[in-house]
Amino acid sequence: MQNIVDFVLEIDKLKQVTRKTRVLNSDRYENSAEHSWQIALLASSLAPYAVEAVDMDRVVAMLLVHDIGEIETGDTIVYAEGGWEERKAQELACVTRIFGMLPTEQGQRLLALWNEFETAETAEARFAHAADRAMPVLLNLANNGQSWLENGIRHQQVVDRIGPPVRQGCPALWDYLESRLAMAKEKGWLA
């Protein structure tokens, strides 16, 4: 029991990892724990739009663990260029340590889910990636482009970085976002 308690208290640190997008109707930036919770619910809600059969329990579990490595690396905006290999190596070391706090079988299961998300080779991981990539876009659309404007993000950056994983994991969601991104560009929310 103590191993589980120690693990849960360790992952509480994810609440301290600040992201670049504000929560709606607030000046406060969201944290990575809030992001993980919200995208798990987004994916669950989008289940009828999955183009491939997915095990939604695995999708949700992946989304709940996918950012735990940020406890040690912090959050990096998805549009950042370069440094991803080093960052992912640091995240792997972090999640290996944190999941290693659990009884072996549980820790290995969570590490396998984290790795599955990272490789995006399964239908579940592709669907999880779609939700992960889409949520900041949805928040930016609802926040009049807040994070895009603050970070000088261009329309083409969003299309290039967000489009492929969302289109691959949930084409209906990309269809929804694509026209709204064009509107955001027209409104001046994207450079």
XYZ file of all heavy atoms in Angstrom, residues 56-94:
302
model
N -11.301 1.965 -25.140
C -11.338 3.300 -24.537
C -10.685 3.321 -23.153
O -10.112 4.344 -22.769
C -12.780 3.813 -24.468
C -12.865 5.306 -24.226
S -11.855 6.345 -25.330
C -12.596 6.016 -26.908
N -10.717 2.223 -22.428
C -10.030 2.192 -21.135
C -8.523 2.404 -21.326
O -7.890 3.114 -20.551
C -10.280 0.868 -20.415
C -11.703 0.744 -19.899
O -12.395 1.771 -19.748
O -12.138 -0.400 -19.642
N -7.946 1.793 -22.360
C -6.516 1.985 -22.635
C -6.231 3.400 -23.095
O -5.217 3.992 -22.727
C -6.019 0.976 -23.679
C -5.668 -0.335 -23.026
C -4.911 -1.335 -23.854
N -3.959 -0.830 -24.797
C -3.927 -1.196 -26.075
N -4.801 -2.044 -26.559
N -3.012 -0.712 -26.878
N -7.114 3.961 -23.917
C -6.934 5.342 -24.373
C -6.911 6.279 -23.178
O -6.010 7.113 -23.044
C -8.054 5.755 -25.366
C -8.009 7.251 -25.653
C -7.957 4.956 -26.655
N -7.881 6.157 -22.304
C -7.963 7.034 -21.125
C -6.741 6.841 -20.235
O -6.141 7.819 -19.772
C -9.287 6.811 -20.365
C -9.274 7.498 -19.005
C -10.468 7.312 -21.208
N -6.346 5.601 -20.009
C -5.168 5.338 -19.168
C -3.916 5.973 -19.792
O -3.103 6.580 -19.082
C -4.978 3.840 -18.971
N -3.768 5.866 -21.117
C -2.628 6.489 -21.795
C -2.619 7.991 -21.581
O -1.578 8.590 -21.313
C -2.708 6.226 -23.306
C -1.827 5.141 -23.792
S -1.916 5.069 -25.589
C -2.946 3.633 -25.745
N -3.783 8.591 -21.725
C -3.869 10.041 -21.585
C -3.604 10.490 -20.156
O -3.068 11.575 -19.943
C -5.225 10.536 -22.088
C -5.396 10.402 -23.600
C -6.824 10.699 -24.012
C -4.405 11.288 -24.345
N -3.940 9.671 -19.198
C -3.686 10.030 -17.803
C -2.203 9.940 -17.447
O -1.749 10.621 -16.533
C -4.523 9.165 -16.864
C -6.028 9.422 -16.924
C -6.774 8.426 -16.036
C -6.366 10.861 -16.533
N -1.435 9.129 -18.175
C -0.012 8.974 -17.840
C 0.929 9.651 -18.826
O 2.113 9.799 -18.533
C 0.400 7.481 -17.705
C -0.428 6.779 -16.650
C 0.339 6.744 -19.029
N 0.441 10.102 -19.973
C 1.335 10.526 -21.053
C 2.206 11.731 -20.704
O 3.287 11.885 -21.275
C 0.541 10.792 -22.334
C -0.046 12.153 -22.424
N -1.132 12.548 -21.681
C 0.319 13.223 -23.163
C -1.417 13.803 -21.970
N -0.554 14.243 -22.864
N 1.794 12.587 -19.783
C 2.583 13.783 -19.453
C 3.318 13.686 -18.114
O 3.903 14.666 -17.669
C 1.687 15.033 -19.438
C 1.495 15.623 -20.826
O 2.310 15.339 -21.720
O 0.525 16.379 -21.011
N 3.319 12.545 -17.490
C 3.966 12.419 -16.182
C 5.454 12.762 -16.244
O 6.012 13.322 -15.301
C 3.695 11.028 -15.560
C 2.231 10.992 -15.084
C 4.658 10.718 -14.419
C 1.777 9.701 -14.476
N 6.095 12.513 -17.362
C 7.507 12.881 -17.515
C 7.756 14.370 -17.379
O 8.876 14.800 -17.084
N 6.708 15.174 -17.571
C 6.845 16.620 -17.432
C 7.105 17.046 -15.985
O 7.479 18.191 -15.747
C 5.598 17.328 -17.974
C 5.460 17.194 -19.464
C 4.256 17.922 -20.034
O 3.512 18.579 -19.265
O 4.052 17.833 -21.258
N 6.922 16.140 -15.043
C 7.240 16.456 -13.653
C 8.691 16.922 -13.549
O 9.009 17.828 -12.783
C 6.958 15.237 -12.741
C 5.441 15.061 -12.577
C 7.659 15.371 -11.392
C 5.021 13.800 -11.852
N 9.568 16.328 -14.341
C 10.982 16.708 -14.301
C 11.414 17.584 -15.476
O 12.396 18.299 -15.362
C 11.852 15.449 -14.222
C 11.684 14.730 -12.895
C 12.531 13.490 -12.757
O 13.337 13.178 -13.654
O 12.377 12.803 -11.727
N 10.685 17.533 -16.594
C 11.119 18.300 -17.768
C 10.342 19.591 -17.956
O 10.785 20.462 -18.696
C 10.964 17.475 -19.060
O 9.572 17.216 -19.291
C 11.747 16.179 -18.995
N 9.186 19.705 -17.324
C 8.307 20.830 -17.580
C 7.577 20.616 -18.892
O 7.813 19.646 -19.612
N 6.692 21.530 -19.211
C 5.934 21.439 -20.453
C 6.650 22.243 -21.531
O 7.189 23.314 -21.263
C 4.513 21.990 -20.260
C 3.696 21.919 -21.525
O 3.499 20.802 -22.037
O 3.267 22.980 -22.020
N 6.650 21.718 -22.731
C 7.194 22.428 -23.884
C 6.058 22.600 -24.874
O 5.363 21.632 -25.190
C 8.343 21.634 -24.545
O 9.367 21.437 -23.587
C 8.895 22.364 -25.753
N 5.876 23.809 -25.362
C 4.820 24.061 -26.329
C 5.021 23.150 -27.541
O 6.152 22.936 -27.981
C 4.765 25.554 -26.716
C 3.457 25.862 -27.443
C 5.988 25.970 -27.509
C 3.145 27.357 -27.528
N 3.954 22.602 -28.037
C 4.008 21.616 -29.107
C 4.652 22.163 -30.382
O 5.147 21.410 -31.205
C 2.598 21.042 -29.390
C 1.699 22.081 -30.044
C 2.659 19.782 -30.218
N 4.677 23.474 -30.539
C 5.227 24.084 -31.751
C 6.738 24.339 -31.657
O 7.334 24.833 -32.610
C 4.500 25.399 -32.046
C 3.005 25.209 -32.057
C 2.220 25.716 -31.029
C 2.376 24.498 -33.072
C 0.850 25.521 -31.017
C 1.005 24.299 -33.067
C 0.243 24.810 -32.032
O -1.103 24.604 -32.019
N 7.342 23.994 -30.537
C 8.787 24.187 -30.381
C 9.534 23.351 -31.417
O 9.120 22.236 -31.749
C 9.230 23.784 -28.978
N 10.625 23.904 -31.899
C 11.432 23.192 -32.879
C 12.740 22.770 -32.227
O 13.378 23.536 -31.540
C 11.685 24.092 -34.089
C 10.403 24.429 -34.833
C 10.639 25.297 -36.052
O 11.781 25.370 -36.525
O 9.654 25.897 -36.519
N 13.102 21.525 -32.455
C 14.366 21.006 -31.951
C 14.315 20.593 -30.494
O 13.447 21.001 -29.730
N 15.242 19.729 -30.124
C 15.382 19.285 -28.748
C 14.429 18.188 -28.316
O 14.443 17.779 -27.153
N 13.614 17.685 -29.221
C 12.597 16.698 -28.828
C 13.205 15.368 -28.407
O 12.710 14.735 -27.467
C 11.573 16.509 -29.947
C 10.657 17.691 -30.057
C 10.717 18.691 -30.986
C 9.579 18.033 -29.173
N 9.727 19.624 -30.735
C 9.016 19.245 -29.635
C 9.038 17.435 -28.048
C 7.941 19.865 -29.009
C 7.954 18.043 -27.417
C 7.427 19.248 -27.896
N 14.269 14.922 -29.066
C 14.864 13.630 -28.711
C 15.423 13.663 -27.292
O 15.199 12.731 -26.510
C 15.956 13.249 -29.705
C 15.398 12.829 -31.051
C 16.493 12.412 -32.021
O 17.606 12.042 -31.578
O 16.219 12.456 -33.234
N 16.120 14.735 -26.946
C 16.673 14.863 -25.592
C 15.554 14.947 -24.557
O 15.621 14.337 -23.495
C 17.563 16.109 -25.485
C 18.781 16.097 -26.377
C 18.500 16.564 -27.811
O 17.381 17.043 -28.105
O 19.403 16.413 -28.645
N 14.534 15.716 -24.881
C 13.401 15.881 -23.971
C 12.701 14.553 -23.720
O 12.380 14.210 -22.589
C 12.434 16.896 -24.568
C 11.216 17.131 -23.746
C 10.325 18.187 -24.400
N 8.993 18.110 -23.910
C 8.632 18.376 -22.675
N 9.527 18.736 -21.793
N 7.380 18.267 -22.291
N 12.479 13.785 -24.783
C 11.798 12.495 -24.634
C 12.669 11.515 -23.845
O 12.150 10.704 -23.074
C 11.398 11.923 -25.999
C 10.267 12.708 -26.651
C 9.029 12.742 -25.771
C 7.926 13.591 -26.323
N 6.769 13.655 -25.413
N 13.968 11.582 -23.997
C 14.862 10.725 -23.206
C 14.768 11.089 -21.724
O 14.735 10.205 -20.856
C 16.305 10.856 -23.703
N 14.699 12.393 -21.425
C 14.545 12.834 -20.038
C 13.186 12.400 -19.478
O 13.095 11.972 -18.320
C 14.678 14.348 -19.934
C 16.062 14.855 -20.217
C 16.102 16.382 -20.313
O 15.102 17.041 -20.582
N 17.285 16.938 -20.090
N 12.149 12.512 -20.289
C 10.825 12.087 -19.835
C 10.802 10.590 -19.559
O 10.219 10.150 -18.564
C 9.756 12.441 -20.875
C 9.405 13.899 -20.903
C 8.249 14.199 -21.845
O 7.583 13.259 -22.342
O 8.001 15.396 -22.090
N 11.432 9.801 -20.431
C 11.484 8.349 -20.223
C 12.183 8.022 -18.911
O 11.709 7.173 -18.143
C 12.180 7.657 -21.395
C 12.393 6.148 -21.233
C 11.076 5.410 -21.024
C 13.145 5.604 -22.453
N 13.280 8.683 -18.620
C 13.984 8.450 -17.351
C 13.072 8.798 -16.174
O 13.026 8.065 -15.177
C 15.269 9.271 -17.302
N 12.328 9.889 -16.293
C 11.426 10.305 -15.225
C 10.306 9.289 -15.011
O 10.048 8.874 -13.885
C 10.847 11.685 -15.539
S 9.619 12.261 -14.333
